[in-house]
Amino acid sequence: MSSTSPLTHFDAQGQAHMVDVGTKAATHRVAVATGCIEMQPATWNLIASGTAKKGDVLGIARIAGIQAAKKTSDLIPLCHPLALTRVAVDFAMEETPTPHVRCSVTAETVGPTGVEMEALTAVQVALLTIYDMCKAADRGMVMTGVKLLEKQGGKSGHWVAQE
């Protein structure tokens, strides 16, 4: 692997390493990610009505997402630990085309590296928490469409996903 590889987590010899961000400017960085969990209509109704057996599904999933963003560097080996300045986890109950819950996360920091991984990790863990809390009613739930929607800050500037 050459040193000009676009894969920044490998050195010139092809060995994995943590990227050196020591000389990068500390800037305000924002990342927005999203994903869905599809489910049976009855499961969707349990969540929407707040009558799930284990309690407030979305409230607990929100806290799980925030916790996941804070723990991303413990889960993803080459991620830098970040001082997050904000993590917002939002849910939308959507009935079409199939009943699902959409999770959107905005993560922010001021530092030398971005928060894309924190936003994506938060989405995944929030969706997994919904699955965990509702699996007794619906083991066939499917998580789909987890992706980065937008990132701002740093040398590469503003990026928005193409729809």
Side-chain angles (χ1 to χ4, degrees):
M1 185 156 291
S2 75
S3 60
T4 60
S5 169
L7 302 177
T8 58
H9 285 90
F10 294 97
D11 65 16
Q13 291 75 42
Q15 302 297 311
H17 72 107
M18 186 180 238
V19 175
D20 181 1
V21 297
T23 60
K24 292 173 72 178
T27 62
H28 180 236
R29 296 164 186 264
V30 180
V32 181
T34 191
C36 296
I37 185 165
E38 298 173 354
M39 61 198 63
Q40 296 296 320
T43 309
W44 189 91
N45 287 328
L46 281 173
I47 295 170
S49 68
T51 58
K53 196 173 195 177
K54 292 186 180 181
D56 178 10
V57 172
L58 299 184
I60 294 168
R62 178 174 289 109
I63 297 300
I66 293 167
Q67 282 293 107
K70 292 164 47 178
K71 294 289 189 181
T72 298
S73 67
D74 292 337
L75 300 169
I76 310 297
L78 301 178
C79 279
H80 292 84
L82 300 182
L84 294 168
T85 58
R86 177 173 177 252
V87 177
V89 179
D90 296 305
F91 297 101
M93 300 292 298
E94 300 174 356
E95 289 187 87
T96 59
T98 58
H100 63 277
V101 178
R102 175 174 304 283
C103 176
S104 298
V105 173
T106 301
E108 298 186 36
T109 192
V110 175
T113 191
V115 288
E116 299 93 54
M117 294 305 298
E118 287 71 15
L120 287 161
T121 301
V123 167
Q124 289 281 34
V125 171
L127 296 175
L128 284 167
T129 300
I130 293 170
Y131 185 95
D132 180 51
M133 294 190 69
C134 298
K135 69 182 181 271
D138 184 356
R139 292 199 188 272
M141 291 175 282
V142 176
M143 289 167 269
T144 65
V146 175
K147 63 182 180 179
L148 184 67
L149 293 177
E150 181 177 5
K151 71 105 172 121
Q152 298 176 42
K155 186 176 165 185
S156 62
H158 193 178
W159 177 87
V160 178
Q162 301 300 310
E163 291 296 320

